[in-house]
Amino acid sequence: MTVVAHQAQAQMFSLGPPEMILKDHKSSESFSCEPAVHLLDLLVQDVENSLQAVATNVAVHVKIHPIHGILQCINKCQMSISGHIKNVQCDLQNWPAKLENVVKLNYRVIDFTLDILAGGKSIADCPSFADIGSALEHLVSLEEDRSEETTTLSPEFQLLLSWCWINLK
């Protein structure tokens, strides 16, 4: 399945009740864990690929890889599976490992986003909002040659700032 197909599946998942989307159409059961776990694996892989792409060129790839929506779908998928594990016969022996993988992925997203906001400096230094603005301006100015002195009001700056804040949320 392509990235576009995964994103379409994630969008469908965010629109409807998980039980409807993850219904196993081959059986009469109202919920099957296999499609849900498969979707969870695909979404986790999609976030990992997106994070890797954004790391190569932040200013360009934040436009293409809005990670926060997929993270929300992962959360919804996890909650749905967790809510049905007791009610449905699911062979989920590796469920704790999958949850640990999702938690580690969330930590990587948060660490990466904080590194962007810190401008490559140690996050332990607690950058001020002015330092954060300077770091983001620097990333935006690397992408485009601007004769203007400030890029703070540019759409690229606003997109990058929004991408960072919403991924931290």
Side-chain angles (χ1 to χ4, degrees), residues 98-119:
K98 287 189 183 293
L99 291 177
E100 183 179 344
N101 189 26
V102 169
V103 169
K104 287 179 181 178
L105 176 64
N106 282 316
Y107 274 116
R108 284 197 313 269
V109 169
I110 291 168
D111 286 342
F112 179 72
T113 305
L114 290 174
D115 284 344
I116 291 172
L117 293 171

Side-chain angles (χ1 to χ4, degrees), residues 4-168:
V4 173
H6 293 164
Q7 289 174 344
Q9 202 171 24
Q11 286 175 347
M12 276 181 34
F13 190 77
S14 67
L15 292 175
E19 293 77 11
M20 296 293 291
I21 309 261
L22 299 174
K23 185 175 182 180
D24 187 0
H25 297 288
K26 296 176 187 172
S27 72
S28 60
E29 292 183 29
S30 62
F31 185 86
S32 174
C33 289
E34 289 92 25
V37 172
H38 182 67
L39 177 60
L40 180 67
D41 291 340
L42 293 175
L43 293 172
V44 166
Q45 186 61 47
D46 194 23
V47 171
E48 289 173 348
N49 293 341
S50 294
L51 196 57
Q52 204 170 32
V54 171
T56 61
N57 190 337
V58 175
V60 171
H61 288 285
V62 294
K63 299 172 187 173
I64 304 168
H65 300 281
I67 294 173
H68 66 278
I70 302 168
L71 288 174
Q72 288 177 339
C73 288
I74 288 172
N75 183 41
K76 201 170 189 181
C77 190
Q78 267 182 256
M79 299 303 286
S80 181
I81 294 169
S82 295
H84 286 87
I85 285 178
K86 295 176 185 173
N87 302 335
V88 179
Q89 294 295 338
C90 294
D91 183 25
L92 295 175
Q93 296 173 357
N94 61 350
W95 184 241
K98 287 189 183 293
L99 291 177
E100 183 179 344
N101 189 26
V102 169
V103 169
K104 287 179 181 178
L105 176 64
N106 282 316
Y107 274 116
R108 284 197 313 269
V109 169
I110 291 168
D111 286 342
F112 179 72
T113 305
L114 290 174
D115 284 344
I116 291 172
L117 293 171
K121 299 176 187 170
S122 171
I123 197 65
D125 295 338
C126 292
S128 67
F129 284 110
D131 294 338
I132 291 171
S134 296
L136 297 179
E137 279 184 24
H138 178 71
L139 285 172
V140 170
S141 67
L142 289 176
E143 179 55 31
E144 296 184 7
D145 275 339
R146 292 192 177 259
S147 56
E148 306 166 13
E149 289 195 19
T150 183
T151 56
T152 337
L153 298 177
S154 72
E156 294 83 10
F157 178 88
Q158 292 175 16
L159 178 67
L160 182 56
L161 180 62
S162 297
W163 187 91
C164 289
W165 285 126
I166 202 158
N167 281 323
L168 286 176

